[in-house]
Amino acid sequence: MLPDNRSEATPYDDILPRVTRPARYLGGEWNAVRKDHRSVEVLFALAFPEIYEVGMSHLGSMILYHELNLRPDVACERVFCPWIDMEEEMRRRGLGLHALESGRPVAEFDIVGISLQYEMNYSNVLNLLDLAGLPLRADRRDAGHPLVLAGGPCAFNPEPLADYLDAVVLGEGEEVVHEVVDAFRRWKRAGKGRDALLRSLAEIPGVYVPSLYQVDYHPDGTVAEVSPKIAGVPPRVVRRALPRLDDRDYPTRPIVPYLETVHDRAMVEIFRGCTRGCRFCQAGIIYRPVRERPADRVQELARELVGATGHQEVSLASLSASDYSAIEEVARRLVDEGVGLGVGISLPSLRSDAFSVELAHQVQRVRKTGLTFAPEAGTQRLRDVINKQITSDDLRAAVESAFRNGWRTLKLYFMIGLPTEDYPDLDGIAELVREVEAAYRTVKRGGGPPLKLSVSVAPFVPKPHTPFQWEPQLLLEELRKRQEYLRRRIPRRVRLSWHDPELSFVEAVFARGDRRLARALEIAWEGGAKFDSWSEHFSYRRWMDAFAAAGHDPRWYANRERPREEVFPWDHLETGVSKDYLWQERRRAWKGELTADCRFAACPGCGVCDRLGLSPVTGHAAAGEGS
Amino acid sequence: MAKKGLARWISHLDLVRALERALRRARIPVALSRGHNPLPRVSFASALGLGATSEAEYFDVELSRRMPVSAFTVALASQLPEGLELLEAREVPATSPSLGARVNLAAYRVTLALSDSGAREAFRAAWTRARTAEGLVIPRHREGRVRFLDARPLVHSLAIAESPDGLELRLDLVLDPRGTVRPEEFVAFLAQEAGIDLPPDAIRVHRTGLFRQEGERRRLPWELY
Ligand code: SF4
């Protein structure tokens, strides 16, 4: 039932005067969908294990919210983690987690769908289930509890969460979420037990039910085999992906938050997937192949979005905006249309080359925010190892073009601890920083306002389903040593920011973790772990204690080089890219051999097109050849 | 514009942004500021504190093209999110001074949940003391330092009445460009002086009007031409 007084009160009315940013907990924003619960059959809570401002910036969640609410038989509502102060007040009063739209307790929903974007949100996943009043472990939940689903990039190795999740969706959710809801409805009508539901879900392509798989280990602790416990459950689960983006409706009426969110703008997804082939990058594997949205559609959607949201900025979202085949034309058309309305265009994720800078210059006619480049590594040798196809010349041209076009705020992203990295590669980062500074002096002839250069460095974290999934992460002591080495070589006038190596270490443990880590996760959560992606809330000590208490050696997970033939805990979960291809890529990495992008050259045979029955959809000449 | 219900938890900055977005959705031709970062020319008379409701949120919108007031009202009203309600719009000359400069008085209705009659008496007594001999010096803590604000010239009038579950105050506060006192701040100060414990959720602030007071004469912001 829908409380009639929803617009006047929330379940948290007494608390709101006591917490920071109460607008996080209100709901009722423009375009939020509120349905009468008496008229629907399935209540779906879309849960994002982060705070509101982070979760509301996530395009994928908005897409699913739209997909689900299009159905007359479903009410889909949002759930986020309350911030620390709010949680304290809620727990003090014994108040559980409620969905934003109706204010109804999450525990009364039929399905709770959790978005897994980042390993360091896992403690928040447990906290969210607990705040909702649900038993953490899937085997303690029964037909009276919501079905707990998960999806998102971390779904490709959900093993550390296997004990807590009922089912996991691999890949793009637009279609499969409907199949899950349909199966749920049939089950609900049939009135059978929880087991029947899980079995029927396991039959849906792309749905993984962890409890229906048995994991056997070798005496050395590595996985021997992951196999279905019962007949009818597929031994391998293959990811779902849309053949074409325009096969599905786009959320042109997304919710407009009151609060300033991380990405406070309208978003048009211009393409999905990226085949540049950076060897450390998981996104470059799990969203293949590239599927572009036609240019005319992009323009139409941008127009509709501005009309329905009133946002003053439209962002063209993708993994690498400069790679969209019609990017110049689309950007120009949108900029022309937006001028006069005060609507600007933003292009996140640009390549580090002069072409991209010119493009950014075109779109930032009015506002000139900073530019960001991600060379990732300091030397050509190492950039070849990771297949980051950016040369020093590209970078120099990009930087010079930026300075000539009036930019003076620049951010550079690097990783340390990449496979084969050695101290000369760190010198290379320092050298590159000096070159950027010199280029600024040359362009400005020594005059002009000072350059604002910031450099951000993150330790490399090997991720599953990438060519570097066999690689060890550098030992923490060595990471710290390299960090210090680099720190001493970067001039003080440059703003240097570091991603916590301790945090990256724990991230590396869970990224390639197995089911046995569930215990450590639970112990850490019991010890107060939450918001671990916020370095001020992350406690290295707490995690180490938890690993010790659970009897795990975290270094075994993070710092061990895995042999070619090792069975990984995620091998039965397929992105469509073959393990052989990944191994071949790893070998090419060690030889410094580049692998071309299938959009611009022949298909190097990653296998995804065959496996998923798809082909790249782009306007580029070489595309569409398939594998 | 009225701010009701849950919208009272929308901060002033967020409210301004929400209004700008509503204006854009309504396709109202709002004039943009010049410069590198053109912003819509929208300005509010006075920021309302977080948690307060209001039936008197006045704002100026400068248009790049003249449009009938009725068309403006219809277009904007349908685009305002829940809890924000456009009550009335009037045309004022584009040359008029800013709203902030035109108004100098804000009227509030503040309800206090005070079930204990002793506490109610203590609150009244605190006000009687404050308005007379002892003055009304409110300490303000910021960045570890304390400053003192003499609020007496800023409190235009206060009438205290009994209500079913506490007190109802009619509080008129002076809006002075050099400084103002916030209603919840003033009430919390009196409560402290009275020695009563008033948790944040026991105070409800509602703004009833914004005026220009000159002598005995009180005019609405748009009656000033
Ligand atoms: S199979 Fe070939 S064409 Fe398809 S995504 Fe992989 S590399 Fe590109």
Side-chain angles (χ1 to χ4, degrees):
Chain A
M1 267 234 329
L2 189 73
D4 294 329
N5 60 348
R6 184 66 186 92
S7 60
E8 297 295 326
T10 75
Y12 310 124
D13 267 10
D14 298 346
I15 312 181
L16 293 179
R18 300 162 188 269
V19 298
T20 50
R21 301 208 192 188
R24 286 169 177 156
Y25 314 108
L26 301 181
E29 308 94 320
W30 187 255
N31 289 339
V33 179
R34 195 179 292 159
K35 292 186 180 180
D36 186 340
H37 289 184
R38 286 165 298 194
S39 71
V40 301
E41 242 184 286
V42 178
L43 296 180
F44 196 116
L46 206 55
F48 201 96
E50 251 297 343
I51 52 162
Y52 179 92
E53 292 93 316
V54 176
M56 282 305 291
S57 301
H58 183 236
L59 179 60
S61 299
M62 208 25 75
I63 290 175
L64 287 180
Y65 183 79
H66 177 67
E67 281 286 348
L68 287 162
N69 276 321
L70 277 176
R71 295 174 68 127
D73 58 342
V74 176
C76 175
E77 308 196 358
R78 292 162 298 151
V79 178
F80 301 98
C81 284
W83 188 241
I84 315 270
D85 58 346
M86 181 68 173
E87 180 181 335
E88 273 173 25
E89 298 284 348
M90 286 167 63
R91 290 202 188 268
R92 184 172 310 147
R93 288 169 169 73
L95 277 174
L97 200 55
H98 296 250
L100 280 185
E101 275 73 4
S102 64
R104 188 167 178 157
V106 174
E108 290 176 19
F109 276 68
D110 294 303
I111 303 176
V112 177
I114 303 177
S115 176
L116 301 179
Q117 300 294 317
Y118 184 32
E119 293 83 359
M120 297 313 284
N121 286 341
Y122 288 177
S123 54
N124 276 3
V125 171
L126 297 201
N127 206 35
L128 195 140
L129 293 175
D130 182 66
L131 275 167
L134 306 182
L136 292 186
R137 299 210 168 232
D139 59 11
R140 308 262 165 79
R141 295 192 290 263
D142 58 32
H145 290 118
L147 175 78
V148 178
L149 278 182
C154 293
F156 286 99
N157 179 24
E159 290 302 283
L161 290 173
D163 291 353
Y164 307 105
L165 303 173
D166 294 314
V168 179
V169 170
L170 300 192
E172 296 162 13
E174 287 102 330
E175 290 173 334
V176 63
V177 77
H178 293 293
E179 296 159 32
V180 169
V181 168
D182 290 339
F184 185 90
R185 266 183 56 170
R186 280 193 299 272
W187 167 79
K188 200 174 169 186
R189 287 184 180 170
K192 291 197 194 127
R194 189 80 156 188
D195 287 353
L197 173 61
L198 295 182
R199 272 182 210 209
S200 68
L201 290 176
E203 282 166 18
I204 301 173
V207 178
Y208 169 54
V209 179
S211 61
L212 297 182
Y213 293 79
Q214 166 75 36
V215 184
D216 296 309
Y217 299 93
H218 289 301
D220 69 358
T222 57
V223 173
E225 197 189 5
V226 180
S227 50
K229 286 179 186 165
I230 51 176
V233 173
R236 300 173 77 81
V237 182
V238 185
R239 135 181 185 250
R240 298 289 292 265
L242 296 180
R244 288 172 186 276
L245 294 191
D246 269 345
D247 289 351
R248 308 299 310 185
D249 206 53
Y250 194 77
T252 48
R253 305 187 61 81
I255 296 170
V256 185
Y258 284 107
L259 285 177
E260 202 171 329
T261 55
V262 178
H263 301 298
D264 203 16
R265 48 187 88 101
M267 283 186 265
V268 182
E269 187 186 25
I270 54 175
F271 67 90
R272 203 171 282 181
C274 172
T275 37
R276 294 227 134 228
C278 296
R279 291 176 177 132
F280 56 84
C281 177
Q282 195 192 43
I285 299 293
I286 64 176
Y287 300 113
R288 283 177 179 229
V290 166
R291 286 143 298 152
E292 288 191 355
R293 196 182 296 281
D296 290 345
R297 270 303 279 160
V298 170
Q299 201 177 352
E300 270 170 39
L301 293 177
R303 207 176 285 152
E304 283 177 48
L305 276 163
V306 171
T309 61
H311 275 299
Q312 64 162 345
E313 191 174 323
V314 177
S315 146
L316 303 183
S318 68
L319 289 167
S320 169
S322 0
D323 290 337
Y324 181 70
S325 56
I327 191 66
E328 284 175 288
E329 200 197 334
V330 167
R332 186 173 38 75
R333 280 197 267 165
L334 288 176
V335 169
D336 289 347
E337 209 173 307
V339 172
L341 297 171
V343 176
I345 306 300
S346 71
L347 294 172
S349 348
L350 284 175
R351 239 164 36 209
S352 323
D353 56 17
F355 170 82
S356 304
V357 175
E358 290 300 326
L359 200 63
H361 180 61
Q362 286 298 309
V363 306
Q364 296 198 353
R365 254 182 243 171
V366 271
R367 266 180 285 273
K368 263 216 163 45
T369 49
L371 268 185
T372 300
F373 294 133
E376 312 286 8
T379 55
Q380 193 59 50
R381 184 200 69 79
L382 192 52
R383 283 195 295 272
D384 289 348
V385 167
I386 62 176
N387 205 43
K388 184 93 199 172
Q389 308 195 15
I390 292 292
T391 64
S392 314
D393 289 345
D394 290 335
L395 265 170
R396 191 169 313 118
V399 167
E400 280 170 7
S401 166
F403 296 152
R404 265 199 306 277
N405 281 310
W407 269 281
R408 59 181 201 92
T409 306
L410 208 66
K411 189 167 191 172
L412 301 174
Y413 275 106
F414 293 98
M415 274 191 259
I416 55 168
L418 282 162
T420 78
E421 182 193 79
D422 208 338
Y423 286 84
D425 299 300
L426 302 177
D427 294 334
I429 295 179
E431 177 62 25
L432 226 151
V433 168
R434 274 195 297 277
E435 276 177 28
V436 169
E437 290 192 311
Y440 188 75
R441 281 194 298 273
T442 310
V443 171
K444 299 286 172 193
R445 300 212 169 77
L451 167 69
K452 282 201 233 163
L453 182 62
S454 46
V455 171
S456 176
V457 186
F460 163 65
V461 178
K463 295 273 164 145
H465 301 284
T466 66
F468 289 160
Q469 61 180 346
W470 292 271
E471 296 289 338
Q473 186 181 48
L474 271 191
L475 286 171
L476 198 49
E477 301 76 64
E478 181 59 25
L479 278 175
R480 290 202 196 105
K481 213 170 122 197
R482 293 194 186 186
Q483 187 179 6
E484 200 38 50
Y485 182 90
L486 187 54
R487 194 198 303 278
R488 283 201 306 270
R489 278 158 184 78
I490 303 280
R492 272 179 205 276
R493 55 187 175 271
V494 175
R495 247 201 86 221
L496 190 58
S497 61
W498 296 97
H499 208 276
D500 234 343
E502 286 80 9
L503 205 146
S504 301
F505 173 57
V506 177
E507 180 186 335
V509 172
F510 282 98
R512 291 179 300 167
D514 55 46
R515 293 184 176 201
R516 294 169 297 188
L517 286 177
R519 189 77 206 108
L521 178 58
E522 209 167 313
I523 294 171
W525 168 76
E526 280 164 357
K530 68 185 77 155
F531 290 109
D532 283 302
S533 59
W534 300 66
S535 46
E536 69 268 34
H537 292 293
F538 170 79
S539 158
Y540 177 63
R541 199 57 281 140
R542 177 159 53 210
W543 281 103
M544 292 311 113
D545 290 347
F547 288 129
H552 301 310
D553 177 7
R555 284 170 306 178
W556 188 79
Y557 289 97
N559 308 121
R560 182 173 61 91
E561 182 174 353
R562 288 146 164 84
R564 162 89 170 102
E565 58 291 342
E566 182 167 328
V567 175
F568 294 139
W570 56 89
D571 275 351
H572 57 301
L573 307 176
E574 283 195 37
T575 64
V577 175
S578 71
K579 198 174 179 183
D580 284 343
Y581 180 80
L582 297 177
W583 177 258
Q584 177 194 316
E585 275 297 289
R586 187 202 187 208
R587 294 192 36 190
R588 293 174 69 87
W590 280 81
K591 288 187 261 172
E593 286 174 4
L594 296 176
T595 300
D597 185 329
C598 59
R599 276 171 295 185
F600 314 111
C603 158
C606 81
V608 89
C609 289
D610 264 356
R611 190 77 178 106
L612 303 184
L614 299 176
S615 46
V617 181
T618 86
H620 292 293
E625 288 169 15
S627 53
Chain B
M1 183 166 71
K3 197 179 183 191
K4 307 193 294 192
L6 290 184
R8 70 195 179 98
W9 297 114
I10 311 302
S11 73
H12 182 66
L13 229 71
D14 292 341
L15 176 77
V16 174
R17 209 173 26 236
L19 178 65
E20 287 171 5
R21 286 173 180 165
L23 287 162
R24 213 171 287 120
R25 291 194 293 266
R27 298 180 185 281
I28 288 167
V30 180
L32 299 176
S33 66
R34 266 185 267 276
H36 277 312
N37 195 359
L39 295 169
R41 289 189 178 270
V42 176
S43 64
F44 274 77
S46 145
L48 189 68
L50 196 63
T53 50
S54 170
E55 56 195 88
E57 291 312 286
Y58 291 87
F59 57 90
D60 277 340
V61 180
E62 194 181 318
L63 302 185
S64 60
R65 202 161 20 83
R66 199 162 175 187
M67 72 189 287
V69 172
S70 57
F72 175 91
T73 315
V74 170
L76 180 57
S78 66
Q79 296 296 327
L80 286 175
E82 205 173 303
L84 301 181
E85 194 182 317
L86 188 64
L87 301 172
E88 195 181 349
R90 292 199 197 176
E91 193 176 289
V92 298
T95 51
S96 62
S98 79
L99 252 184
R102 298 206 299 269
V103 297
N104 60 8
L105 194 85
Y108 297 93
R109 184 177 67 229
V110 183
T111 45
L112 305 180
L114 277 177
S115 48
D116 174 36
S117 66
R120 295 202 289 268
E121 269 321 304
F123 189 86
R124 283 173 187 276
W127 167 235
T128 313
R129 279 200 310 279
R131 66 195 295 199
T132 53
E134 286 149 65
L136 227 175
V137 178
I138 301 182
R140 278 186 168 167
H141 303 266
R142 184 175 289 171
E143 289 160 9
R145 286 195 312 176
V146 189
R147 293 187 172 203
F148 294 93
L149 171 76
D150 180 9
R152 211 152 25 151
L154 299 175
V155 180
H156 180 269
S157 62
L158 170 64
I160 305 178
E162 294 283 320
S163 76
D165 53 358
L167 294 175
E168 185 173 296
L169 320 184
R170 295 279 172 171
L171 176 62
D172 291 358
L173 295 175
V174 173
L175 297 174
D176 188 307
R178 282 161 300 176
T180 52
V181 60
R182 286 172 285 115
E184 59 279 4
E185 176 185 35
F186 170 71
V187 169
F189 171 74
L190 282 188
Q192 204 192 348
E193 291 293 293
I196 43 184
D197 177 36
L198 208 54
D201 46 313
I203 309 176
R204 284 295 279 262
V205 177
H206 179 75
R207 180 138 77 186
T208 54
L210 281 178
F211 306 98
R212 175 155 199 99
Q213 177 100 20
E214 275 162 347
E216 289 301 297
R217 192 152 171 242
R218 192 174 269 203
R219 285 177 298 168
L220 291 170
W222 44 40
E223 293 171 345
L224 298 168
Y225 310 100

